[in-house]
Amino acid sequence: MGSRASEAGKLAAAKAAVELVKDGMLLGLGSGSTVRVFIDLLAEKVQKENISVTFCSTSLDTSFYAASKGLREVPLGEDPPDLAVDGADLVLPDRSLIKGGGAAHLREKVVDYFSKEFVVIVDETKVAKTAPAVVSVPLEVHPMAARQVARRLRELAEVKDVRVRASGGGKLGPVVTDNGNIVLDVVLEGVVDWREEEVRLKLIPGVFENGIFALRRPDKILIGTTSGTTLFI
Ligand code: 5RP
């Protein structure tokens, strides 16, 4: 749960995104609290307008939540989703994103990058007006590689800290992703070219994915403001 202002922003952004949904679409559903608001509105729209949509999911959380609202999931097959709608932890001035606050970034990147249209919904607290000097980026890593990956990361000039993401409660030890992997949160300083950094982190053996979304930037970013309006960038 965020502040009341950020909840208003999430709702405004989700409302604008639901307007983009058309009958018959295959949707890509991202993960997180903003996407849950979108799912609520989508389920209402499907009911009210008597339209039919299916969705590919990016996490177990989204699968369970959307199913509880009566939406029908299909596996990601050969057909690309028509429209992916996802949240973000940070929108950078060059329109790159940092994602993975919910440790769903591996499946999110697959669905978002392969979709015909990729739309991001955020409240305005997520948007950086100037490039931040320090940014934390999550990596999804095979458990057997974790210590070697951490060692390699610490050798990179831009890496200031590396931590294994700990489970928030209900389970001892590290977060284990929907894919059975662990998450390393990496603090980066002074990155200028996010595309280059996305590739660089991806090339480390044992790293399945990172939370930098720069190689495919969103087609639309819908920013919900505290007053409930939406800005499009
Ligand atoms: C999950 C994500 C989410 O999209 C991101 O963390 C934003 O979540 P929220 O809408 O709850 O702020 O990347 O891995």
Side-chain angles (χ1 to χ4, degrees):
M1 283 291 283
S3 66
R4 198 173 292 178
S6 83
E7 295 308 313
K10 288 176 190 182
L11 181 61
K15 271 185 182 163
V18 95
E19 295 295 318
L20 304 172
V21 175
K22 306 271 178 297
D23 191 21
M25 272 187 165
L26 170 60
L27 299 171
L29 293 183
S31 298
S33 56
T34 317
V35 168
R36 277 180 170 236
V37 177
F38 173 78
I39 291 170
D40 291 342
L41 298 177
L42 176 65
E44 273 174 39
K45 179 181 170 114
V46 165
Q47 278 279 320
K48 210 156 91 194
E49 297 180 13
N50 196 22
I51 60 170
S52 159
V53 295
T54 49
F55 75 93
C56 298
S57 182
T58 56
S59 64
L60 292 176
D61 185 65
T62 289
S63 295
F64 289 146
Y65 191 71
S68 79
K69 300 283 169 181
L71 298 171
R72 190 161 69 87
E73 180 172 356
V74 294
L76 181 63
E78 258 183 51
D79 294 334
D82 297 297
L83 171 68
V85 179
D86 204 350
D89 299 303
L90 183 63
V91 178
L92 294 162
D94 69 356
R95 303 178 89 253
S96 299
L97 311 172
I98 305 297
K99 289 183 47 57
H105 49 291
L106 190 159
R107 296 191 195 190
E108 288 176 328
K109 199 176 274 189
V110 172
V111 169
D112 295 348
Y113 275 33
F114 283 127
S115 288
K116 291 182 200 162
E117 189 175 11
F118 171 29
V119 171
V120 163
I121 49 175
V122 286
D123 69 84
E124 62 186 332
T125 63
K126 305 280 189 63
V127 182
K129 292 190 176 61
T130 54
V134 176
V135 174
S136 180
V137 171
L139 267 51
E140 178 154 349
V141 177
H142 194 289
M144 66 77 75
R147 289 183 189 186
Q148 290 301 317
V149 171
R151 192 170 63 81
R152 174 68 61 85
L153 286 165
R154 289 192 183 99
E155 289 167 5
L156 301 177
E158 71 275 26
V159 172
K160 297 300 154 201
D161 193 24
V162 182
R163 300 233 165 141
V164 177
R165 190 179 292 180
S167 161
K171 177 191 168 293
L172 296 173
V175 163
V176 178
T177 69
D178 290 351
N179 315 302
N181 301 311
I182 66 160
V183 175
L184 295 182
D185 285 305
V186 182
V187 177
L188 302 174
E189 190 172 72
V191 174
V192 177
D193 187 334
W194 287 100
R195 291 183 180 191
E196 203 178 272
E197 193 65 20
E198 180 175 352
V199 174
R200 199 217 286 258
L201 295 178
K202 200 160 167 133
L203 290 178
I204 300 172
V207 175
F208 290 120
E209 202 44 88
N210 62 70
I212 302 170
F213 284 50
L215 293 167
R216 173 158 189 201
R217 290 177 182 147
D219 299 298
K220 291 190 183 75
I221 303 177
L222 309 180
I223 304 167
T225 67
T226 49
S227 59
T229 55
T230 310
L231 307 169
F232 294 73
I233 61 169

